[in-house]
Amino acid sequence: MDIVEHILLSEETLQSRIRELAAAVSRDYGDETIALICILKGGLMFLCDLAKHITSPVTYDFMSVSSYGDATQSSGVVRITKDLEESIEGKHVLIVEDIIDTGLTLSYLLKNLESRNPASLKICTLLDKPANRQVEIPVDYVGFEVPNEFLVGYGLDFKQLYRNIPYVFVAKSHYYQKDN
Ligand code: PRP
């Protein structure tokens, strides 16, 4: 694909690390049921692959919190566009995210979900981009620390496209710069 500058994380690299994360999660939770909360839309691919390899009992539910819209920079505006269907009161909740960038989305989500009285609340993110962090976030499971580049694929979109690509790539700058 022309938009690919270079592949940052291959499918094999992603899948191998996701298996390790699932093993760590399974060890930590044991026989406790984990309420996986997938943050749409980016977290969907990661949720599917992670959940396949978790040996603890799991449920999942979905939430959509929008901070970016179609822009490539964080607006700092966070709003719930789809809420959970199930109560999380008394449950062991694990938030499943594709990426933490500024931290604004998770900062809001942590406060919001904590107020619903879960038994525990942890975060599992596939990618962590610390360069742009505006709020400190206590992350429990991290797949990869990534550089401050425009990343696309495996859940991450460019204009809603390429989320289905099984690897993470750096996009050519002229694709997104002409939109700013
Ligand atoms: C992305 C990503 C995180 C958030 C991280 O979601 O999935 O939820 O941004 O950024 P932050 O740490 O700067 O808040 P986005 O709002 O782009 O929605 P999407 O998952 O539907 O693409």
Side-chain angles (χ1 to χ4, degrees):
M1 296 182 297
D2 185 61
I3 189 175
V4 179
E5 170 71 43
H6 65 269
I7 294 176
L8 183 72
L9 300 165
S10 70
E11 182 171 6
E12 294 72 26
T13 302
L14 286 172
Q15 295 302 328
S16 153
R17 182 70 185 126
I18 290 168
R19 279 190 176 79
E20 289 177 2
L21 288 173
V25 168
S26 306
R27 266 197 309 275
D28 292 350
Y29 287 86
D31 293 332
E32 294 278 10
T33 297
I34 313 169
L36 298 174
I37 303 292
C38 173
I39 310 305
L40 296 170
K41 301 171 187 155
L44 184 61
M45 295 279 272
F46 182 37
L47 171 84
C48 292
D49 286 333
L50 183 73
K52 279 180 209 165
H53 301 292
I54 293 178
T55 54
S56 309
V58 302
T59 62
Y60 38 75
D61 203 348
F62 300 89
M63 195 166 182
S64 198
V65 185
S66 173
S67 58
Y68 286 12
D70 279 339
T72 52
Q73 296 293 314
S74 173
S75 62
V77 177
V78 176
R79 67 193 169 94
I80 295 180
T81 52
K82 181 206 176 304
D83 207 344
L84 300 174
E85 291 181 4
E86 312 275 340
S87 164
I88 56 167
E89 191 171 350
K91 295 181 182 171
H92 293 287
V93 171
L94 182 60
I95 300 172
V96 179
E97 258 290 23
D98 55 340
I99 188 164
I100 305 177
D101 190 6
T102 63
L104 293 169
T105 304
L106 272 175
S107 168
Y108 171 81
L109 265 177
L110 281 174
K111 282 189 214 114
N112 184 292
L113 295 178
E114 196 61 70
S115 74
R116 305 183 195 194
N117 299 316
S120 66
L121 181 58
K122 290 187 176 182
I123 296 171
C124 180
T125 186
L126 180 65
L127 309 177
D128 180 14
K129 192 191 269 187
N132 291 331
R133 196 72 95 253
Q134 293 181 25
V135 202
E136 270 317 302
I137 300 292
V139 190
D140 302 279
Y141 305 95
V142 179
F144 303 90
E145 191 168 302
V146 292
N148 189 17
E149 297 190 85
F150 194 75
L151 303 178
V152 182
Y154 198 77
L156 301 162
D157 73 302
F158 173 66
K159 293 186 168 182
Q160 300 301 329
L161 289 168
Y162 310 110
R163 294 187 194 273
N164 61 316
I165 302 302
Y167 52 86
V168 174
F169 62 92
V170 175
K172 284 181 186 159
S173 59
H174 67 85
Y175 272 82
Y176 53 89
Q177 278 172 353
K178 66 187 172 197
D179 289 319
N180 290 338

